[in-house]
mmCIF file of all heavy atoms in Angstrom:
data_model
loop_
_atom_site.group_PDB
_atom_site.id
_atom_site.type_symbol
_atom_site.label_atom_id
_atom_site.label_comp_id
_atom_site.label_asym_id
_atom_site.label_seq_id
_atom_site.Cartn_x
_atom_site.Cartn_y
_atom_site.Cartn_z
ATOM 1 N N ILE A 48 9.818 -0.783 63.896
ATOM 2 C CA ILE A 48 9.030 -1.810 64.544
ATOM 3 C C ILE A 48 9.992 -2.835 65.216
ATOM 4 O O ILE A 48 9.815 -3.243 66.387
ATOM 5 C CB ILE A 48 8.081 -2.540 63.578
ATOM 6 C CG1 ILE A 48 6.981 -1.621 63.191
ATOM 7 C CG2 ILE A 48 7.549 -3.855 64.174
ATOM 8 C CD1 ILE A 48 6.110 -2.136 62.072
ATOM 9 N N ARG A 49 11.045 -3.167 64.557
ATOM 10 C CA ARG A 49 12.044 -4.116 65.132
ATOM 11 C C ARG A 49 12.743 -3.450 66.351
ATOM 12 O O ARG A 49 13.008 -4.128 67.388
ATOM 13 C CB ARG A 49 13.085 -4.517 64.111
ATOM 14 C CG ARG A 49 12.502 -5.428 63.081
ATOM 15 C CD ARG A 49 13.540 -5.834 62.007
ATOM 16 N NE ARG A 49 14.329 -6.910 62.622
ATOM 17 C CZ ARG A 49 15.451 -7.346 62.076
ATOM 18 N NH1 ARG A 49 15.876 -6.790 60.973
ATOM 19 N NH2 ARG A 49 16.132 -8.329 62.691
ATOM 20 N N ASN A 50 13.004 -2.178 66.272
ATOM 21 C CA ASN A 50 13.656 -1.496 67.393
ATOM 22 C C ASN A 50 12.727 -1.426 68.598
ATOM 23 O O ASN A 50 13.180 -1.634 69.708
ATOM 24 C CB ASN A 50 14.064 -0.047 66.929
ATOM 25 C CG ASN A 50 14.908 0.624 67.990
ATOM 26 O OD1 ASN A 50 15.566 -0.014 68.826
ATOM 27 N ND2 ASN A 50 14.861 1.929 67.958
ATOM 28 N N VAL A 51 11.461 -1.173 68.393
ATOM 29 C CA VAL A 51 10.459 -1.125 69.479
ATOM 30 C C VAL A 51 10.350 -2.487 70.136
ATOM 31 O O VAL A 51 10.368 -2.577 71.362
ATOM 32 C CB VAL A 51 9.106 -0.590 68.939
ATOM 33 C CG1 VAL A 51 7.998 -0.837 69.975
ATOM 34 C CG2 VAL A 51 9.217 0.884 68.616
ATOM 35 N N ASP A 52 10.327 -3.519 69.290
ATOM 36 C CA ASP A 52 10.262 -4.880 69.885
ATOM 37 C C ASP A 52 11.498 -5.219 70.717
ATOM 38 O O ASP A 52 11.383 -5.807 71.764
ATOM 39 C CB ASP A 52 10.063 -5.898 68.745
ATOM 40 C CG ASP A 52 8.655 -5.853 68.145
ATOM 41 O OD1 ASP A 52 7.727 -5.310 68.767
ATOM 42 O OD2 ASP A 52 8.522 -6.412 67.005
ATOM 43 N N ALA A 53 12.633 -4.846 70.212
ATOM 44 C CA ALA A 53 13.848 -5.131 70.888
ATOM 45 C C ALA A 53 13.966 -4.402 72.252
ATOM 46 O O ALA A 53 14.334 -4.908 73.263
ATOM 47 C CB ALA A 53 15.049 -4.780 70.032
ATOM 48 N N GLN A 54 13.490 -3.125 72.248
ATOM 49 C CA GLN A 54 13.538 -2.381 73.462
ATOM 50 C C GLN A 54 12.511 -2.894 74.449
ATOM 51 O O GLN A 54 12.772 -2.934 75.705
ATOM 52 C CB GLN A 54 13.198 -0.871 73.183
ATOM 53 C CG GLN A 54 14.364 -0.133 72.589
ATOM 54 C CD GLN A 54 14.023 1.348 72.371
ATOM 55 O OE1 GLN A 54 12.932 1.785 72.504
ATOM 56 N NE2 GLN A 54 15.072 2.059 71.988
ATOM 57 N N ALA A 55 11.344 -3.368 73.992
ATOM 58 C CA ALA A 55 10.372 -3.939 74.899
ATOM 59 C C ALA A 55 10.903 -5.187 75.552
ATOM 60 O O ALA A 55 10.726 -5.442 76.748
ATOM 61 C CB ALA A 55 9.045 -4.262 74.143
ATOM 62 N N GLN A 56 11.537 -6.090 74.749
ATOM 63 C CA GLN A 56 12.166 -7.244 75.297
ATOM 64 C C GLN A 56 13.255 -6.937 76.340
ATOM 65 O O GLN A 56 13.368 -7.546 77.381
ATOM 66 C CB GLN A 56 12.703 -8.133 74.241
ATOM 67 C CG GLN A 56 11.665 -8.821 73.394
ATOM 68 C CD GLN A 56 12.289 -9.607 72.227
ATOM 69 O OE1 GLN A 56 13.452 -9.552 71.964
ATOM 70 N NE2 GLN A 56 11.420 -10.381 71.568
ATOM 71 N N GLN A 57 14.044 -5.926 76.004
ATOM 72 C CA GLN A 57 15.128 -5.568 76.864
ATOM 73 C C GLN A 57 14.585 -4.972 78.217
ATOM 74 O O GLN A 57 15.046 -5.269 79.325
ATOM 75 C CB GLN A 57 16.036 -4.537 76.218
ATOM 76 C CG GLN A 57 17.237 -4.112 77.059
ATOM 77 C CD GLN A 57 18.085 -3.071 76.283
ATOM 78 O OE1 GLN A 57 17.618 -2.459 75.336
ATOM 79 N NE2 GLN A 57 19.328 -2.883 76.762
ATOM 80 N N THR A 58 13.548 -4.203 78.137
ATOM 81 C CA THR A 58 12.900 -3.647 79.333
ATOM 82 C C THR A 58 12.236 -4.744 80.163
ATOM 83 O O THR A 58 12.395 -4.728 81.388
ATOM 84 C CB THR A 58 11.828 -2.590 78.929
ATOM 85 O OG1 THR A 58 12.433 -1.584 78.166
ATOM 86 C CG2 THR A 58 11.147 -1.999 80.137
ATOM 87 N N GLU A 59 11.611 -5.688 79.500
ATOM 88 C CA GLU A 59 11.028 -6.776 80.217
ATOM 89 C C GLU A 59 12.090 -7.614 80.971
ATOM 90 O O GLU A 59 11.910 -7.973 82.118
ATOM 91 C CB GLU A 59 10.256 -7.694 79.236
ATOM 92 C CG GLU A 59 9.546 -8.859 79.911
ATOM 93 C CD GLU A 59 8.756 -9.677 78.916
ATOM 94 O OE1 GLU A 59 8.531 -9.240 77.771
ATOM 95 O OE2 GLU A 59 8.382 -10.814 79.261
ATOM 96 N N GLN A 60 13.205 -7.899 80.305
ATOM 97 C CA GLN A 60 14.290 -8.611 80.900
ATOM 98 C C GLN A 60 14.878 -7.844 82.121
ATOM 99 O O GLN A 60 15.154 -8.417 83.169
ATOM 100 C CB GLN A 60 15.388 -8.928 79.884
ATOM 101 C CG GLN A 60 16.439 -9.834 80.422
ATOM 102 C CD GLN A 60 15.910 -11.210 80.814
ATOM 103 O OE1 GLN A 60 15.072 -11.819 80.092
ATOM 104 N NE2 GLN A 60 16.340 -11.740 81.932
ATOM 105 N N LEU A 61 14.995 -6.542 81.948
ATOM 106 C CA LEU A 61 15.532 -5.731 83.006
ATOM 107 C C LEU A 61 14.595 -5.755 84.272
ATOM 108 O O LEU A 61 15.079 -5.901 85.380
ATOM 109 C CB LEU A 61 15.714 -4.269 82.579
ATOM 110 C CG LEU A 61 16.327 -3.308 83.551
ATOM 111 C CD1 LEU A 61 17.726 -3.688 83.863
ATOM 112 C CD2 LEU A 61 16.272 -1.913 82.951
ATOM 113 N N VAL A 62 13.301 -5.680 84.024
ATOM 114 C CA VAL A 62 12.287 -5.706 85.084
ATOM 115 C C VAL A 62 12.377 -7.033 85.787
ATOM 116 O O VAL A 62 12.369 -7.152 87.012
ATOM 117 C CB VAL A 62 10.916 -5.436 84.571
ATOM 118 C CG1 VAL A 62 9.848 -5.771 85.609
ATOM 119 C CG2 VAL A 62 10.818 -3.943 84.189
ATOM 120 N N LEU A 63 12.432 -8.122 85.034
ATOM 121 C CA LEU A 63 12.541 -9.489 85.633
ATOM 122 C C LEU A 63 13.792 -9.650 86.462
ATOM 123 O O LEU A 63 13.750 -10.211 87.555
ATOM 124 C CB LEU A 63 12.499 -10.594 84.458
ATOM 125 C CG LEU A 63 11.137 -10.766 83.817
ATOM 126 C CD1 LEU A 63 11.289 -11.751 82.655
ATOM 127 C CD2 LEU A 63 10.154 -11.287 84.845
ATOM 128 N N ASP A 64 14.959 -9.127 85.962
ATOM 129 C CA ASP A 64 16.182 -9.221 86.706
ATOM 130 C C ASP A 64 16.078 -8.431 87.993
ATOM 131 O O ASP A 64 16.514 -8.991 89.044
ATOM 132 C CB ASP A 64 17.328 -8.743 85.890
ATOM 133 C CG ASP A 64 17.684 -9.646 84.699
ATOM 134 O OD1 ASP A 64 17.245 -10.830 84.690
ATOM 135 O OD2 ASP A 64 18.371 -9.182 83.752
ATOM 136 N N ARG A 65 15.600 -7.280 87.935
ATOM 137 C CA ARG A 65 15.451 -6.478 89.167
ATOM 138 C C ARG A 65 14.467 -7.067 90.189
ATOM 139 O O ARG A 65 14.714 -7.039 91.381
ATOM 140 C CB ARG A 65 15.084 -5.021 88.858
ATOM 141 C CG ARG A 65 16.226 -4.264 88.193
ATOM 142 C CD ARG A 65 15.983 -2.801 88.093
ATOM 143 N NE ARG A 65 17.092 -2.176 87.516
ATOM 144 C CZ ARG A 65 17.143 -0.914 87.175
ATOM 145 N NH1 ARG A 65 16.131 -0.139 87.469
ATOM 146 N NH2 ARG A 65 18.211 -0.457 86.652
ATOM 147 N N THR A 66 13.417 -7.644 89.652
ATOM 148 C CA THR A 66 12.417 -8.306 90.556
ATOM 149 C C THR A 66 13.078 -9.532 91.209
ATOM 150 O O THR A 66 12.845 -9.715 92.394
ATOM 151 C CB THR A 66 11.206 -8.744 89.721
ATOM 152 O OG1 THR A 66 10.631 -7.600 89.078
ATOM 153 C CG2 THR A 66 10.144 -9.375 90.590
ATOM 154 N N ARG A 67 13.824 -10.273 90.474
ATOM 155 C CA ARG A 67 14.506 -11.436 91.028
ATOM 156 C C ARG A 67 15.479 -10.984 92.140
ATOM 157 O O ARG A 67 15.566 -11.589 93.162
ATOM 158 C CB ARG A 67 15.233 -12.203 89.903
ATOM 159 C CG ARG A 67 15.743 -13.543 90.309
ATOM 160 C CD ARG A 67 16.311 -14.323 89.114
ATOM 161 N NE ARG A 67 15.349 -14.496 88.068
ATOM 162 C CZ ARG A 67 15.373 -13.973 86.830
ATOM 163 N NH1 ARG A 67 16.382 -13.192 86.484
ATOM 164 N NH2 ARG A 67 14.457 -14.186 85.953
#
Side-chain angles (χ1 to χ4, degrees):
I48 290 171
R49 290 181 78 190
N50 187 25
V51 167
D52 288 343
Q54 284 183 352
Q56 287 177 351
Q57 185 179 15
T58 302
E59 183 179 346
Q60 187 62 43
L61 183 65
V62 167
L63 287 174
D64 291 343
R65 288 192 179 174
T66 303
R67 191 174 301 114

